[in-house]
């Protein structure tokens, strides 16, 4: 016996007398005043070179107020609260450049039975006690009474007054995907689509036509928008059947209305859909201008709560049979919940909110993914604005969507109670008395049923087992995923009831037949889906989308073919291959047709295949070997067809070599404009140089940077090992304006040091410095010029003096380098005079250097250990200032080197007695051997004169004995 349709409406009758919205049509003068105010605000933005209130994503805080009974029971759940936020943000991301709501702090829980079932006459008392002025206030009572009406919600149009900054949403309507969006539409200045539809003055009604020549008035009447059809709701002659408008109402010009039943600002059933038009989105963007006017008595200044290190972390995903399970770490203790967002575009754009979670819940299952798609996920606390977790990237394999229904099939027993599949008289599937499945979805795919391609199969599907008993009249459709791609496509629908004799409804039994294509083999999923018969327009056309009443059952067929489909995988090129490299994989097929393939790669034993990124629709395919794979000789590949599902043979084994690391480079390198540059260098094997980070032809000759123009240029270099080319290292070359940089350096030599920060000038006094005439007749003059032209310094500078100041001690060699241990990084060298007080007097001009670079200062002396500044010194006011005597010089990390010698009083000085000069400035037996040769000579400028008194003698050997074994650990040559 069929159950009457009126019985089903009981669940709807609970809401049939519920007015969707208590917002009355505003009078024309109020609308006009708002439009004038908006025009004024827009003109202010235009003056400031802005054309819209939303030029970037705006994050708007919302203060949620949840009303419960005195004992804390009842009220909107935190799960539904966060779900409602995700739903509204899906809509509002289309407003301007995006408008997104977030919770201002934690929800305000109001345990007050008096307000639990709320009456609008209580608004003033409730809001005065709880409203905040820095966020939108949204109240969620159990029910809302507005005068004599019970309503789903109400809101206020934009106003400068604080009273307009509150909305009221019935708790059970918060997640219906319509009510909250509807009221926020009003909040941001949207009118009902039926504004003035039943006005007794026909001139106030909106016309159906959108043709200006026919008198279209859509910009002036109705909701003031032309992309929302004129709506006659509220008239006696309005009627719908299912989600089809069947009314006869006409506009003042005599045209029949054709309203949109899915528009959010209408009053038609939620089951007919929920959408805004582009015009409505644009009008809400303007409404944001009104709501963010500084003259308002409220603002949107409430900031995010969960930020920084407290945002969700460690987001991971696991693929399920019909969805993806996401898990993350909750790093905060004060979140209001969480919002999960997904993109199918990239990790940086296209994100859409897909779900909300209550606080302390860290798992979410996405059941709306599709097969063979790359998705990007991120999570944030719902009381955060733009503070997200790191993005998770994950690619799906074969996956099927999960169908959804508004009402549980257990509520009214709108079910599929029996499904039978036969081949002739042989029963393949016999699932009867299955009753209502959990969440209206029966997944019976765990048992594959054997069938054969090319054969004909019949099925029956019944609303009640054997067609006996009470039932609901339902539409039913059946799909078979013959191409095994995870989608139930239109050409795979094998049955759809349409009230015709050939394909009857499930009233109570529907039956049909289909042929499995000869090319199909492997596992094929069959979906049987029903939906309550609301009328001719309620046939089941969507295998996954939301329906009101009904049930879905999935089954799995194991299809064998008389002509098995095969794939033979050929050899890989190139071979050997490199980690991170693209390879070409050829193959041949037989007995099937496909354009959807992937390549799978084994481990180095030829087993445990995994799918790797693949491009191409036929042979050969291009696949990318993972960059972090282990080197080995036993790797294999195989080609897999996704649709239909066919697994190919494995290729012969081949070798994969590891990707070498990028070459070692020094970066950045700085030159002054016009300075002579050196060819770039890097540490590696078989270097190739590029001008781009990827692509292009490499050059084995290192480029020499141009210093003609000021600016920054990136150069790239790779190395090749075992025919595998590494990633490219980047060297940034900066060319800055030419500036003379002067050096102010202070240092002391141990040999001539006499205390009180003073050194002897005996060489100067005796006329033994280069170019001087010796005082003693026994003295031998030294040629003029700096003394560092020979080995190991080989400095070619022409510095010389014709007159030495009285306090000159000797010549020192000063240089600047960008890397402490690398003499190749030297950018400047000069010989200078060291004075008795430790200061260095410059003979040459100040060098022209880039000022955006820091430099290590290096000092060398002909018979003292050299030293390097303890750190790179920045150029300040076109000067480099460094005092070696006040701190220990640079010592390589972990080295037993000595740096400088610390004298009494804490002063640092260069170690004396290094006259033979090896690369690390070590004092050793070579130095005393050379001293023995010169011992006893007088009146000479000799490197063996360690105390620099003009005569190598026993005193110098004593200095050597004290310092023997000391070394700097720095490379000087």
């Amino acid at each position: 016996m069929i159950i009457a349709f009126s019985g089903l409406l009981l669940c709807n009758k609970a809401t049939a007398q519920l007015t969707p919205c208590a917002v009355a049509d505003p009078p024309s003068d109020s609308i006009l005043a708002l439009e004038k105010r908006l025009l004024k605000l827009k003109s202010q933005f235009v003056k400031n070179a802005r054309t819209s209130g939303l030029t970037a994503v705006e994050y708007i805080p919302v203060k949620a107020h949840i009303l419960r009974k005195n004992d804390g029971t009842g009220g909107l759940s935190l799960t539904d609260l966060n779900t409602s936020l995700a739903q509204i943000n899906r809509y509002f991301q289309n407003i301007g450049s995006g408008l997104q709501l977030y919770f201002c702090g934690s929800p305000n829980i109001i345990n007050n039975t008096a307000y639990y079932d709320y009456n609008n006459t209580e608004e003033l008392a409730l809001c005065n006690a709880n409203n905040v002025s820095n966020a939108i206030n949204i109240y969620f009572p159990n029910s809302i009474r507005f005068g004599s009406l019970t309503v789903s919600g109400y809101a206020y149009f934009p106003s400068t007054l604080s009273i307009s900054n509150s909305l009221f949403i019935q708790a059970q309507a918060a997640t219906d995907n319509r009510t909250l969006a509807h009221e926020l539409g009003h909040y941001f200045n949207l009118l009902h689509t039926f504004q003035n539809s039943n006005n007794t003055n026909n001139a106030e009604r909106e016309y159906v036509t959108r043709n200006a020549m026919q008198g279209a008035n859509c910009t002036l009447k109705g909701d003031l928008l032309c992309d929302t059809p004129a709506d006659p709701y509220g008239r006696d002659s309005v009627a719908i059947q299912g989600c089809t408008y069947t009314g006869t109402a006409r506009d003042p010009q005599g045209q029949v209305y054709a309203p949109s039943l899915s528009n959010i600002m209408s009053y038609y059933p939620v089951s007919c859909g929920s959408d805004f038009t582009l015009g409505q989105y644009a009008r809400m963007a303007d409404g944001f201008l009104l709501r963010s006017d500084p003259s308002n008595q409220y603002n949107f200044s409430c900031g995010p709560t969960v930020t920084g290190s407290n945002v969700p972390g460690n987001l991971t995903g696991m693929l399920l049979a019909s969805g993806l399970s996401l898990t993350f770490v909750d790093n905060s203790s004060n979140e209001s919940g969480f919002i999960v967002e997904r993109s199918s575009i990239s990790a940086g754009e296209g994100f859409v909110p897909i779900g909300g979670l209550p606080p302390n819940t860290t798992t979410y299952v996405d059941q709306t993914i599709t097969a063979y798609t790359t998705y990007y996920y991120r999570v944030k606390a719902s009381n955060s604005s733009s503070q997200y977790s790191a993005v998770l990237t994950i690619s799906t394999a074969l996956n099927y969507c999960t169908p959804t229904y508004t009402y549980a099939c257990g509520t009214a027993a709108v079910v599929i109670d029996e499904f039978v599949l036969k081949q002739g008289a042989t029963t393949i599937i016999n699932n009867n008395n299955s009753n209502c499945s959990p969440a209206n979805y029966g997944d019976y795919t765990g048992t594959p049923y054997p069938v054969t391609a090319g054969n004909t199969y019949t099925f029956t599907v019944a609303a009640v087992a054997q067609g006996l008993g009470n039932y609901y009249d339902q539409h039913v459709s059946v799909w078979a995923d013959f191409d095994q791609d995870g989608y139930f496509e239109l050409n795979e629908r094998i049955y759809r009831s349409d009230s015709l004799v050939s394909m009857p409804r499930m009233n109570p039994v529907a039956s049909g037949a289909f042929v499995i294509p000869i090319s199909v083999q492997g596992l094929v999923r069959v979906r049987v889906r029903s939906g309550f018969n609301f009328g001719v327009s309620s046939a089941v056309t969507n295998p996954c989308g939301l329906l009101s009443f009904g049930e879905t059952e999935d089954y799995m067929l194991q299809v064998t073919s008389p002509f098995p489909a095969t794939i033979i995988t050929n050899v890989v090129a190139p071979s050997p291959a490199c980690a991170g490299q693209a390879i070409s994989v050829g193959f041949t097929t037989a007995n099937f047709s496909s354009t959807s393939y992937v390549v799978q790669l084994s481990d180095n034993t030829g087993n445990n295949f995994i799918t790797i990124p693949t491009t191409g629709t036929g042979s050969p395919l291009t696949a990318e070997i993972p960059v972090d794979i282990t080197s080995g000789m036993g790797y294999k590949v195989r080609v897999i067809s996704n649709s239909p599902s066919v697994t190919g043979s494995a290729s012969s084994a081949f070798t994969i070599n590891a990707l070498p690391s990028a070459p070692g480079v020094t970066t950045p390198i700085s030159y002054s404009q016009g300075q002579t540059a050196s060819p770039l260098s890097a540490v590696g094997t078989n270097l190739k140089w590029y001008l781009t980070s990827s692509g292009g032809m490499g050059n084995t000759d290192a480029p020499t940077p141009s210093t003609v123009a000021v600016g920054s240029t990136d150069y790239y270099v790779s190395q090749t090992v075992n025919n595998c080319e590494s990633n490219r290292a980047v060297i940034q070359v900066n060319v800055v304006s030419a500036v003379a940089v002067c050096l102010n350096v202070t240092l002391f030599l141990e040999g001539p040091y006499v205390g009180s920060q003073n050194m002897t000038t005996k060489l100067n006094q005796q006329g033994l410095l280069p170019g001087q005439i010796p005082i003693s007749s026994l003295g031998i003059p030294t040629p003029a010029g700096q003394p560092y032209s020979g080995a190991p310094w080989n400095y070619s500078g022409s510095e010389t003096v014709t007159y030495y100041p009285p306090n000159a001690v000797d010549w020192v060699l000063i240089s600047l380098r960008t890397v402490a241990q690398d003499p190749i990084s030297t950018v400047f060298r000069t010989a200078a005079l060291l004075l008795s007080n430790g200061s260095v007097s410059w003979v040459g001009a100040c060098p022209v250097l880039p000022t955006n670079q820091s430099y290590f200062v290096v000092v060398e002396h002909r018979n003292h250990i050299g030293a390097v500044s303890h750190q790179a010194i920045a150029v300040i006011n076109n000067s480099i200032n460094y005092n070696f005597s006040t701190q220990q010089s640079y010592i390589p990390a972990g080295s037993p080197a000595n740096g400088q010698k610390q004298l009494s009083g804490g002063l640092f000085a260069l170690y004396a007695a290094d006259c033979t000069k090896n690369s690390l400035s070590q004092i050793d037996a070579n130095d005393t051997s050379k001293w023995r040769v010169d011992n006893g000579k007088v009146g000479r400028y000799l490197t063996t004169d360690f105390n620099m008194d003009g005569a190598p003698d026993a005193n110098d050997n004593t200095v050597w004995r004290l310092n023997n074994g000391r070394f700097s650990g720095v490379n000087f040559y």
Side-chain angles (χ1 to χ4, degrees), residues 817-850:
R817 59 175 64 168
T818 56
V819 181
Q821 274 283 59
D822 186 5
I824 296 177
S825 71
T826 298
V827 297
F828 170 71
R829 283 206 297 175
T830 188
L833 293 177
L834 177 63
L835 306 183
S836 59
N837 64 356
S839 61
V840 175
S841 176
W842 305 100
V843 176
C846 295
V848 176
L849 296 170

Side-chain angles (χ1 to χ4, degrees), residues 40 90 108-109 125 261 284 335 378 383 435 461 501 536 549 577 629 644 649 671 689 777 786 789 814 899 956 961:
K40 181 179 179 181
R90 274 201 297 274
N108 177 31
I109 306 300
L261 305 191
M284 283 192 283
E335 75 275 0
R378 65 186 186 185
N383 49 349
N435 296 315
V461 55
V501 174
V536 293
F549 296 92
I629 198 166
S649 63
Y671 289 101
W689 296 88
S777 59
Q786 53 85 11
S789 58
I814 303 292
D956 297 300
R961 291 180 182 279

Side-chain angles (χ1 to χ4, degrees), residues 59 100 311-312 339 341 378-380 384-390:
Y59 294 93
Q100 296 289 276
V311 302
I339 300 297
E341 297 184 0
R378 65 186 186 185
V379 180
K380 71 170 184 175
S384 292
S385 54
S386 57
Q387 297 78 25
Y388 290 92
S389 69

Side-chain angles (χ1 to χ4, degrees), residues 110-143:
I110 304 172
N111 294 328
N112 191 324
T113 302
Y115 294 134
Y116 180 66
D117 289 304
Y118 165 81
N119 191 298
N120 74 299
T121 59
E122 301 162 337
E123 178 180 334
L124 190 61
L126 179 61
C127 291
N128 283 347
N130 295 282
N131 263 18
V132 298
S133 62
N134 59 350
I136 303 173
N137 294 278
I138 303 182
Y139 290 84
F140 296 95
N142 179 61
S143 63

Side-chain angles (χ1 to χ4, degrees), residues 27 74 396 414 418 505 957:
T396 62
V414 184
E418 180 179 79
R505 299 192 307 274
N957 194 41

Side-chain angles (χ1 to χ4, degrees), residues 499-801:
S499 299
L500 299 178
V501 174
S502 59
M503 288 191 178
R505 299 192 307 274
M506 194 167 63
N507 187 26
V509 177
S511 60
F514 63 95
V515 177
I516 299 178
I518 192 67
S519 61
V520 175
Q521 67 175 354
L523 295 173
V524 172
R525 181 178 288 236
V526 173
R527 173 158 294 180
V528 184
R529 190 172 198 204
S530 77
F532 184 82
N533 175 28
F534 284 102
V536 293
S537 64
S538 58
V540 177
T541 59
N542 190 323
C544 303
L546 179 68
L547 297 178
S548 296
F549 296 92
E551 188 181 14
T552 299
E553 294 181 350
D554 280 2
Y555 299 89
M556 190 67 76
L557 303 181
Q558 177 68 60
V559 183
T560 58
S561 172
F563 307 104
T566 60
I567 300 175
I568 298 176
T569 306
N570 301 330
V571 296
V572 171
S575 180
C578 302
Q581 182 183 45
I583 58 173
S584 177
V585 182
F587 62 97
T588 58
T589 63
N591 301 320
F592 76 99
S593 176
S594 175
T595 58
S596 177
Y597 298 96
V598 294
V599 172
Q600 292 188 332
L601 175 67
S602 73
D603 58 21
N604 57 12
T605 68
N607 300 300
N608 303 315
F609 285 84
I610 61 169
T611 300
I612 59 177
T614 306
T615 57
T617 58
S619 179
L621 300 171
T622 300
E624 184 176 327
I625 296 177
V627 70
D628 56 352
I629 198 166
T630 304
S631 298
M633 301 175 61
Y635 286 98
K636 297 180 181 180
V637 294
R638 66 186 182 191
V639 174
I640 304 292
S641 168
N642 292 321
S643 176
S645 178
V646 182
T647 299
S649 63
S651 69
S652 56
F654 65 99
T655 298
I656 297 179
N657 292 320
L659 192 70
S661 59
V665 298
T666 299
T667 185
I669 298 173
S670 296
Y671 289 101
S672 56
Q673 188 176 17
Q675 183 180 356
T676 300
S678 301
L680 297 176
S681 63
V683 179
T685 303
N686 299 319
L687 298 177
K688 286 185 180 180
W689 296 88
Y690 299 86
L691 297 178
T692 57
S693 59
S694 61
M697 294 293 293
N699 195 322
T700 56
D701 296 327
T704 299
S706 170
T707 62
V708 173
V710 172
S712 179
T713 303
D714 288 339
Y715 297 85
Y716 302 87
V717 60
S718 68
Q719 67 169 325
T720 300
V721 180
N722 293 327
N723 292 319
C724 295
E725 186 175 0
S726 71
N727 292 325
R728 299 174 189 180
V730 60
I731 301 176
Q732 184 183 72
V733 177
N734 298 316
V735 179
V736 298
S737 298
V739 174
V741 177
C742 294
L743 284 69
N744 299 307
V745 178
T746 300
L747 63 101
F748 289 95
L749 304 177
E750 177 194 11
Y753 188 74
V754 294
S756 301
Q757 299 189 21
N758 195 38
M759 292 176 285
T760 181
T761 60
K762 288 182 179 180
L763 292 178
N764 188 1
Q765 295 168 13
Q766 297 176 40
L768 298 180
L769 294 175
Q772 286 185 318
I773 299 175
I775 301 299
S776 169
S777 59
L778 299 176
I780 297 176
T782 300
Q786 53 85 11
Y788 298 102
S789 58
W793 305 282
N794 299 315
Y795 172 62
S796 60
S798 60
E799 292 90 339
T800 187
V801 295

